[in-house]
Amino acid sequence: MTDEEEDGPSGVRLDVWLWRARFFKTRALSAGHIRKDGVRLSHAGLIRRTDKPGATLTVGDIVTFGKGTNILTIEVLDLGTRRGPAEEARSLYRPLEAGP
């Protein structure tokens, strides 16, 4: 067994994670939103904008994206292994307060 198999994956696709965290009803909607509107990722202090659904997301990353008329900024707490119930999905992230 490799370390990744023992400890779980070290990263997950951005579109998959947004779907698992229940921000979008389908993975296709998640990928489409990322391609069309983009997402801002903060990883290890570096901030970048991406329109690639396959961008890798890791625990501790900060994700900022628009949803409807809201701008959401969330910290990734867990990558998850499936799209579970809402309570499980909420344990994957922590909402961050918007700046002034």
Side-chain angles (χ1 to χ4, degrees):
M1 240 186 208
T2 66
D3 286 341
E4 187 170 304
E5 290 171 350
E6 291 174 6
D7 300 330
S10 60
V12 69
R13 286 177 57 108
L14 177 59
D15 61 337
V16 170
W17 189 86
L18 287 172
W19 169 70
R20 285 179 184 168
R22 293 186 164 264
F23 288 105
F24 297 94
K25 286 187 177 189
T26 68
R27 185 173 164 193
L29 287 174
S30 175
H33 180 82
I34 295 165
R35 277 190 210 99
K36 181 179 178 238
D37 298 326
V39 171
R40 189 176 345 143
L41 296 176
S42 176
H43 175 76
L46 299 173
I47 299 171
R48 68 184 172 103
R49 186 180 184 287
T50 186
D51 60 359
K52 307 233 181 286
T56 302
L57 197 63
T58 59
V59 172
D61 287 356
I62 306 295
V63 181
T64 303
F65 63 100
K67 182 87 165 123
T69 59
N70 299 318
I71 305 280
L72 302 174
T73 301
I74 53 176
E75 179 183 4
V76 177
L77 301 178
D78 192 1
L79 301 178
T81 56
R82 67 185 185 127
R83 180 178 165 92
E87 186 175 317
E88 184 179 320
R90 282 190 297 271
S91 72
L92 300 180
Y93 63 92
R94 176 175 65 98
L96 299 175
E97 294 295 322

